[in-house]
Amino acid sequence: MTLSQPASRKLVELSGTAAEAALSADSVIVLPTGAIEFHGPHLPLITDYLIADSVANAAVEAAAAEGQDVWILPTIAYTKSDEHHWAPGTMWISWDTLMQTVVELGNSIAATPARKLVFFNGHGGNLALLQVACRELRRRFGLETFLMGATVPPGDHDGPEELGLGIHAGHSETSLVLHLRPELVDLSVAERSVPAHLADYEHIGFRKRVTFGWLSNDFSTNGTLGDPTGASAAYGAELFDASVADAVAAFGEIARFDASGASA
């Protein structure tokens, strides 16, 4: 007998028995990770959480509408944000607390029929830790683990020149929040803060071959790394739609992924 799938793709809205019946070894479980941290004077503390949660939920719903066996867990709000530890409103936990949290959640997921787990991350400070966690969960519990970013650029656009350094509270994040929750944005106090001197280094940078340890107040105390002044809800909508569409395609690929090639 084929069981009908529940309407909700939020796993926690199901009963335990319904969840067990709905999940299988082919199911993909998505766990968004955000942050609560200082994003300058113009953006809310909830920015990273809001983006990860909004894109992930929209993508899971769209993927399910296409018939994909994908489910979502509640977004983790408090994560490794200690690069902003100095700034008011930042709520952070230590790397070992977050690692232990995701490992224990992985152990809980491994107790379900599902075997694929996707960390859907909206905060750059979590990246290195979640990459380690993916291998830890693979080794300890046999889960197939994946890490993906919450957003992708929609292509060419007429935004400000951020020199590849617009990584926090800049054009993209501000535009996304203008699209999602415009009442939370105050562009009247937004200011450009691009550490242009970093662009002079050929090998060292946020996205170059040589990375470096940093705190956000190494560059300024306004909590911005980028240029939010030209942000727009229209660009935010483009970025949101592109990110959702890309995530839906990625979920489909994750569902059929086989590292060993045995099913090829």
Side-chain angles (χ1 to χ4, degrees):
M1 179 179 67
T2 301
L3 296 175
S4 60
Q5 290 286 357
S8 175
R9 309 309 294 190
K10 296 180 179 180
L11 194 62
V12 296
E13 292 186 354
L14 306 183
S15 70
T17 51
E20 184 178 25
L23 296 175
S24 73
D26 296 325
S27 300
V28 175
I29 293 184
V30 177
L31 177 56
T33 52
I36 305 297
E37 63 185 24
F38 191 57
H39 272 76
H42 61 289
L43 284 180
L45 299 169
I46 201 174
T47 291
D48 288 349
Y49 176 96
L50 174 66
I51 292 171
D53 184 73
S54 300
V55 177
N57 274 280
V60 166
E61 290 296 329
E66 292 185 359
Q68 293 190 38
D69 186 10
V70 60
W71 303 85
I72 193 164
L73 287 170
T75 300
I76 299 178
Y78 306 112
T79 59
K80 190 181 180 299
S81 295
D82 52 334
E83 67 268 40
H84 308 290
H85 74 283
W86 58 272
T90 299
M91 303 289 166
W92 62 279
I93 59 177
S94 65
W95 70 268
D96 47 342
T97 299
L98 180 57
M99 179 63 77
Q100 189 66 21
T101 298
V102 296
V103 166
E104 291 181 3
L105 289 174
N107 190 24
S108 299
I109 291 165
T112 76
R115 308 316 301 160
K116 293 179 184 283
L117 169 63
V118 181
F119 292 111
F120 197 96
N121 182 54
H123 169 53
N126 295 332
L127 284 171
L129 183 144
L130 292 175
Q131 287 171 337
V132 175
C134 279
R135 180 165 290 146
E136 189 75 4
L137 296 178
R138 177 73 183 137
R139 177 182 63 82
R140 290 178 62 170
F141 310 125
L143 292 173
E144 295 180 69
T145 49
F146 306 85
L147 170 59
M148 63 186 293
T151 62
V152 296
D156 295 335
H157 68 280
D158 295 326
E161 179 49 71
E162 296 178 303
L163 305 174
L165 303 169
I167 64 168
H168 183 75
H171 182 250
S172 292
E173 282 192 325
T174 304
S175 294
L176 271 167
V177 182
L178 280 169
H179 167 61
L180 295 169
R181 294 287 304 278
E183 75 279 10
L184 300 181
V185 183
D186 184 0
L187 284 181
S188 71
V189 294
E191 57 183 306
R192 177 181 174 88
S193 182
V194 176
H197 62 282
L198 294 181
D200 295 333
Y201 293 94
E202 180 180 356
H203 301 289
I204 305 171
F206 296 126
R207 299 184 177 98
K208 294 182 179 178
R209 185 175 186 180
V210 182
T211 58
F212 62 102
W214 57 272
L215 303 173
S216 56
N217 61 342
D218 288 339
F219 314 108
S220 74
T221 56
N222 69 3
T224 301
L225 281 164
D227 187 351
T229 60
S232 70
Y235 177 63
E238 290 180 28
L239 183 52
F240 182 84
D241 291 344
S243 299
V244 169
D246 190 78
V248 171
F251 292 154
E253 201 164 272
I254 288 168
R256 65 176 185 273
F257 181 80
D258 181 1
S260 69
S263 65

